[in-house]
Every structure is written in C-alpha cells, then in structure tokens.
Amino acid sequence: MPDALPVAPDRLTRPVQFRAPALPRDRPHIDGAMDKLRIRGGTRLDGEITVSGAKNAALPILVASLLTADELIAENVPELQDVATTLKLLRQMGVSVERSGNTVRLKADAVTQTEAAYELVKTMRASILVLGPLVARFGSARVSLPGGCAIGARPVDQHIKGLEALGATIRIENGFVVAQAERLRGARIVTDMVTVTGTENLMMAAALAKGETVIENAAREPEVADLANALNAMGARIRGVGTSRISIEGVERLHGATHRVMPDRIETGTFLTAVAAAGGRATLRGADPRTLDSVIDKLREAGAQIDTQNGLLRVDMSQRANAISLRTAPYPEFPTDMQAQFIALNSSADGVGKVTETIFENRFMHVHELQRLGADISIDGNTATVRGVARLTGAPVMATDLRASASLVVAALAAAGETVVDRIYHLDRGYERMESKLAALGADVVRVK
Ligand code: EPZ
C-alpha cells in the first residue's frame, strides 16, 4: 500500500500555490545568470585536473530519495545549477536536504506534496524523474510537462506509456501529467526507442511495484547503471544492469544507503577534446575511461595519444588533429552529448569530417556560432560536414544549450585571439567551475560578471 501522505487529498487536484522555502544561496557562480567567459586561445593545455561527479547520474540518484523514508546519502555530487534545481524541487516537496560540499543527505520521511510546478520543471527537463518515484511510493503525482528545449521537442510519452503498463492511471490536464495508482504492478515494457530518463523513471517506479518488471530496449548508459547500483544498495532487486534488458523484482519498501556518484564521462570527454583541439598534455584524475570507449577511439583516430594505465587517464596531443567522422547513437556508441565538442575539434582539424546526429532533431545550434569563429561547416539534414581550417579566429559568441556552450569553449581554446562566450549559465548547468579547471591547465580564461 503506498505511504499515506499527511495532506488533504483535495489539495492534490487543484493547483497548489506554495512558497518555496528560502534556500541557502548556492555558490556565486551558480547564480551568475548573465556571466560571460573571456578566452584567449592558441596556447597549449598542460597540467592535471580532477573530474567531478556525473550530472546525469546525480540527478536521478537524488530523486531516488523519494522512494524511502530513510536517509539517502549521495557522495561526489557535483555543484551544478541542475543539482541546485533538483534539490530545490525536492525541498519544495518536503524532502529534508542537507548539503555539505559534494555530499548531500536526503530524507523523504515527511513529504508534504507530490507536485512539481512548471516554474522549476521548465528550467530542467530532468524534473520529470520525480514522476515514477512519487506514483510508486505515494500513489499520486502531478508533474508539469517539461515542454521542449533548445535541442528538440523531447516528449515524455515513453515515461507515461511505461507507467500505464505498471498500472498507473494518467491524464494530461492544464499542462500537467496527473498520475494515480493504488499499488503499481510489475509488467513487461518495451520502449519505442532507447530513452535514458525514461528507463530511469520506470526502473524507480518498478522497484516498489508488486511483482516483476522487465524493461526491454532499456538504455545502457553508465548513468542508468549507476542509478541501478544505488537502488540495489537501497534494497531494490534489479538485474541486467547495463544491458538492454533490465528486470526488477518489486519490494515492499526501500531503505537508506550511501552511494558515491560515478565520475562524469561527458565532462571527461569534453576536457580530452579540449586538449586535442588546443594541443598539450593533461592528466584527468578520478575519470573512468571504461565509460568512454567510443570517444577515446575517435580521439585516437584524430591523432591524440591516450593512456589509461593504472587508474589515470592521460591525453597527449602534439600535432594538428586529423578530421574524423562519426554518428551519435545510444550507449555504448558515440554519445550525442559529445557531438558538439567534436564538431569544434573538426573545425580546425586537417581534412573533412562528417558528423551525424541521430538522437535529437535540432542539436546543431552551436554550428552558427562556430561559423562566427571562422569554421567552415555545412548542414544537410542531420549531418554536418566540417572542413577544417588552419586556424579559427576569436569572436563574441553566444551559448544556446549546455553542450553547445562546451563546444564554443573548445573552439575558443584552439582559436587565435580573444573569444567572449555569452550566456554561460548554460555551461554552469553541467560543468563544475569549468574556468578554474581550464586555468589549471594553463588556459587564459576569465569569468566576466
Ligand atoms: C538524457 O536525456 C540526458 N539527460 C541528456 O543529456 C542526453 O543527451 C540524452 O539522455 C541522450 O543520451 C539526463 O540524463 C538528465 P532520452 P533524456 O529520453 O533522457 C526521444 C545533457 O547534455 N524520446 O534518452 O531526456 C527524445 O525526444 C543532456 O546532459 C521520446 O520520443 O533523453 C530523444 O529524441 C542533454 N519520448 C530520444 O528519445 C520519450 O518519452 C532520446 O531521448 C523519451 C524520449
């Protein structure tokens, strides 16, 4: 039986206006809405940095706290805007949240409401991840539809279809997903396409369902596996972790746990690509190269030496990159979150590279900005053809989404002269103190308020 909610049931049917509790101000850089990065490129990158915890593993793991009344402790949680947004959302639901550095302690023993308002959801699509846990534990949820974003429509129909298969009654009203369920029941679910947060939502919901659930066509991304490992530490019974067939034996209750979030493979790939573009030699501490085979293969093809011995990840680039071609696809193939960075690398590489995006329908927003730096790129449908130029030249550019802003930084580091990247709040969503890590590698980069 779902846990009773100490709140009058009628409150769950009409919009609840509530005041978010005053939150401790997050780190100044997280609030830097109109900050810019000024980069003077053309110098090598040499040195050592430590990779932060993975954003796309931390977000679902923090949300998994909703599945138990016990305390969940998440370690190695990066200090990012999207993490701050997730914690704000959980606090608004009544989850007690204590953060000290990269450790977050969460306790959902007094959840007061099961609603996620549009104000927060519109800033972060991943808020949809509260849907599964809320329905599974409390039998009800009212979550704003995320709406589109810069890189595509990004519907959540698979999340809804899967929850209905588990027995939830779902209706869409006034832009909200309203879900009700007595007790979810295990089911066999085949998603129409590989969906990362869809798999995560359904896995969390199935953990408390009655009976067994099998998710076919499940996402194999390492972040999904990291969430599954955290859920199993909480007492869930999930098998097939990391494969496209995940089976979940539902349990009555989950208990607390302590889980260390995996290192961020996209941050790792972004820094490797920056060194490959600017030239240099760097050591990335705390990285897990096994989650980046497809990216490392492509960087080696581009001419970078990459060494993954004794738990360290070293990159050495002493030549102009060779242009490479790639197509994005679900893990373990080349990640869409690294596509923009590789178009930046190709922009000043030797030769012509073709980059095909198969996951999102509008993920070439960075191309127009890269052209302002002198890149020679033409787009035909979902393929960008990049003809490497000898040297990019700095210019003012504007970030449009998280990974597009990373690609502008990569290009600026390789470009001659000064580049100012505007709207880097996009960058702060997914990269922890990027400018200080780049400065540690000798880059001439300054955050301008
Ligand atoms: C996750 O987004 C990541 N975000 C994205 O990272 C990443 O780019 C993406 O997976 C693909 O790897 C988080 O994990 C928080 P999907 P998600 O559901 O789960 C379509 C970043 O930069 N689809 O795997 O939203 C969808 O439109 C972000 O950190 C449906 O049609 O992506 C897309 O074309 C950007 N219906 C494709 O599937 C659905 O119900 C893959 O989407 C769900 C998805």
Side-chain angles (χ1 to χ4, degrees):
M1 185 54 198
D3 287 10
L5 253 183
V7 64
D10 66 325
R11 272 192 61 186
L12 296 180
T13 52
R14 56 185 169 74
V16 168
Q17 298 309 327
F18 49 82
R19 294 195 50 70
L23 303 177
R25 280 183 65 76
D26 279 309
R27 294 173 59 87
H29 80 267
I30 277 185
D31 294 345
M34 293 318 282
D35 290 2
K36 302 175 168 53
L37 278 192
R38 193 200 64 215
I39 298 169
R40 290 205 180 92
T43 55
R44 283 169 51 94
L45 298 177
D46 292 305
E48 181 176 302
I49 57 167
T50 300
V51 168
S52 301
K55 166 176 89 82
N56 290 349
L59 300 186
I61 289 167
L62 294 171
V63 168
S65 61
L66 289 168
L67 290 166
T68 175
D70 293 357
E71 181 174 64
L72 175 64
I73 300 173
E75 298 175 335
N76 198 33
V77 176
E79 297 194 56
L80 303 171
Q81 182 58 55
D82 276 9
V83 168
T85 303
T86 302
L87 297 182
K88 188 172 177 180
L89 173 61
L90 292 171
R91 284 191 186 108
Q92 284 183 359
M93 290 181 177
V95 178
S96 66
V97 174
E98 276 172 56
R99 161 155 227 177
S100 56
N102 294 108
T103 297
V104 183
R105 307 171 78 98
L106 306 109
K107 201 164 166 45
D109 60 343
V111 169
T112 50
Q113 49 112 33
T114 60
E115 168 159 337
Y118 180 58
E119 285 64 34
L120 272 179
V121 174
K122 72 182 175 188
T123 64
M124 186 186 67
R125 298 181 30 72
S127 310
I128 195 71
L129 283 167
V130 303
L131 185 61
L134 289 174
V135 176
R137 175 141 174 251
F138 302 107
S140 73
R142 191 165 183 276
V143 179
S144 167
L145 277 168
C149 73
I151 60 179
R154 298 178 74 181
V156 290
D157 55 303
Q158 302 298 307
H159 300 239
I160 291 169
K161 175 185 144 186
L163 286 172
E164 286 175 333
L166 292 171
T169 309
I170 296 189
R171 64 180 193 282
I172 307 289
E173 67 174 25
N174 313 108
F176 278 83
V177 178
V178 182
Q180 305 282 343
E182 276 310 303
R183 165 101 194 256
L184 294 177
R185 294 180 317 282
R188 184 169 175 278
I189 301 167
V190 187
T191 53
D192 297 352
M193 81 291 293
V194 173
T195 159
V196 171
T197 48
T199 302
E200 292 168 346
N201 229 336
L202 299 176
M203 196 162 65
M204 288 193 279
L208 289 180
K210 186 171 178 51
E212 184 185 34
T213 297
V214 175
I215 305 174
E216 303 279 5
N217 204 16
R220 299 171 54 190
E221 272 67 6
E223 295 76 15
V224 178
D226 203 32
L227 169 65
N229 293 334
L231 291 171
N232 281 342
M234 295 165 68
R237 296 195 195 131
I238 301 172
R239 292 193 311 281
V241 176
T243 75
S244 58
R245 188 178 190 281
I246 296 177
S247 68
I248 304 112
E249 184 59 44
V251 295
E252 287 298 312
R253 239 161 241 298
L254 293 177
H255 52 71
T258 297
H259 180 82
R260 182 175 175 76
V261 172
M262 64 176 272
D264 195 311
R265 65 193 172 100
I266 304 302
E267 182 195 25
T268 304
T270 303
F271 278 104
L272 290 174
T273 308
V275 176
R281 182 179 303 155
T283 299
L284 278 67
R285 287 199 171 285
D288 181 357
R290 294 167 305 169
T291 60
L292 272 172
D293 288 335
S294 57
V295 173
I296 290 174
D297 288 351
K298 286 295 173 187
L299 286 169
R300 285 176 171 149
E301 192 182 320
Q305 263 91 48
I306 295 186
D307 172 20
T308 61
Q309 300 311 316
N310 51 54
L312 281 183
L313 180 55
R314 270 192 273 266
V315 55
D316 188 343
M317 186 64 153
S318 53
Q319 63 169 71
R320 181 182 179 196
N322 311 316
I324 46 106
S325 292
L326 63 92
R327 56 180 293 122
T328 66
Y331 192 87
E333 297 191 59
F334 192 92
T336 175
D337 290 349
M338 284 299 305
Q339 175 258 106
Q341 297 89 316
F342 268 72
I343 286 194
L345 176 62
N346 270 342
S347 296
S348 54
D350 180 14
V352 180
K354 285 186 178 297
V355 174
T356 299
E357 171 60 51
T358 72
I359 305 289
F360 291 110
E361 67 269 24
N362 183 30
R363 204 170 195 178
F364 285 140
M365 307 274 279
H366 40 286
V367 167
H368 312 298
E369 298 302 308
L370 290 169
Q371 287 165 338
R372 291 176 46 75
L373 302 177
D376 176 356
I377 307 171
S378 58
I379 295 176
D380 176 12
N382 65 346
T383 295
T385 300
V386 188
R387 286 173 177 71
V389 297
R391 203 75 161 130
L392 295 172
T393 48
V397 290
M398 187 176 76
T400 50
D401 60 84
L402 170 53
R403 305 305 173 182
S405 42
S407 81
L408 297 177
V409 173
V410 168
L413 291 165
E418 178 176 290
T419 298
V420 176
V421 184
D422 201 353
R423 302 193 180 186
I424 56 160
Y425 58 87
H426 291 293
L427 206 59
D428 294 335
R429 293 190 53 173
Y431 292 93
E432 193 176 32
R433 292 187 293 279
M434 183 184 243
E435 69 274 14
S436 48
K437 293 190 181 186
L438 286 172
L441 297 177
D444 180 347
V445 55
V446 173
R447 179 181 283 259
V448 178
K449 289 282 175 195

